[in-house]
Amino acid sequence: MDKKRREFYVEGVGHIGSVEEMAEKAGVTVSLLLTKLGKGATDEEVYYNKKVNFKVFSKEYQSIFDLKKQYWLKSSRNAINYKLSKGATLEEIIIEEKKGEMPEYYIEKGRPIVVKGKKYPDLMKAFIAHKDKISITYLGIERRLERGLDPDTAFFAEKYQKVF
């Protein structure tokens, strides 16, 4: 499925030809629109900016914590929300965690990064590749990099000397 070419249909409004057009007409950001779609929202729920529970594999969950518990997901709430905001669906996130298949993202963002000698297209892909071997969150790595640490230290140092 080419997520960039997705069309929408809203009763009383008609066809909407793209993700960007839908976001503009609904008065939301593309990231919020993608998050709602990833959670299983209908076109009408997105357009009218209605609250959406987590709908996955024909079941509905009230919270992300219920979803994580049901599927034994190791990813943090923030990591799941980040993936949703980039265009992954809940089903893709669950399959990624269980089978290692990467979601098809709508928004590919970020700069290449080299970790342990391997080049990754962005920080999230590097984090996903190493998440089972590290004890720090994605945001923690991001903060360490912002403070000037090299990628290997940001990913693998248990503790480091803060220099301000």
Side-chain angles (χ1 to χ4, degrees), residues 138-164:
Y138 175 85
L139 293 175
I141 293 169
E142 206 172 48
R143 286 188 192 111
R144 286 179 174 187
L145 291 170
E146 286 170 0
R147 291 182 178 137
L149 270 69
D150 67 275
D152 288 340
T153 305
F155 269 79
F156 299 103
E158 289 298 320
K159 295 183 179 180
Y160 68 96
Q161 183 67 37
K162 293 182 182 177
V163 179
F164 296 98

Side-chain angles (χ1 to χ4, degrees), residues 123-140:
L123 180 59
M124 180 54 81
K125 287 188 177 62
F127 175 76
I128 290 168
H130 295 281
K131 70 181 178 186
D132 294 334
K133 299 171 235 145
I134 57 178
S135 60
I136 186 169
T137 64
Y138 175 85
L139 293 175

Side-chain angles (χ1 to χ4, degrees), residues 73-131:
L73 300 177
K74 293 178 187 174
S75 296
S76 70
R77 178 181 57 87
N78 289 338
I80 292 170
N81 281 323
Y82 175 84
K83 292 173 187 181
L84 289 171
S85 75
K86 300 301 174 203
T89 64
L90 288 171
E91 287 88 353
E92 288 174 323
I93 293 169
I94 291 167
I95 290 168
E96 173 194 14
E97 193 152 314
K98 301 298 179 195
K99 297 181 181 177
E101 297 173 15
M102 290 294 291
E104 179 186 334
Y105 291 110
Y106 174 76
I107 298 175
E108 289 292 342
K109 204 171 172 180
R111 296 183 310 270
I113 186 169
V114 177
V115 179
K116 293 283 187 187
K118 183 173 180 190
K119 187 174 182 176
Y120 297 91
D122 59 40
L123 180 59
M124 180 54 81
K125 287 188 177 62
F127 175 76
I128 290 168
H130 295 281
K131 70 181 178 186

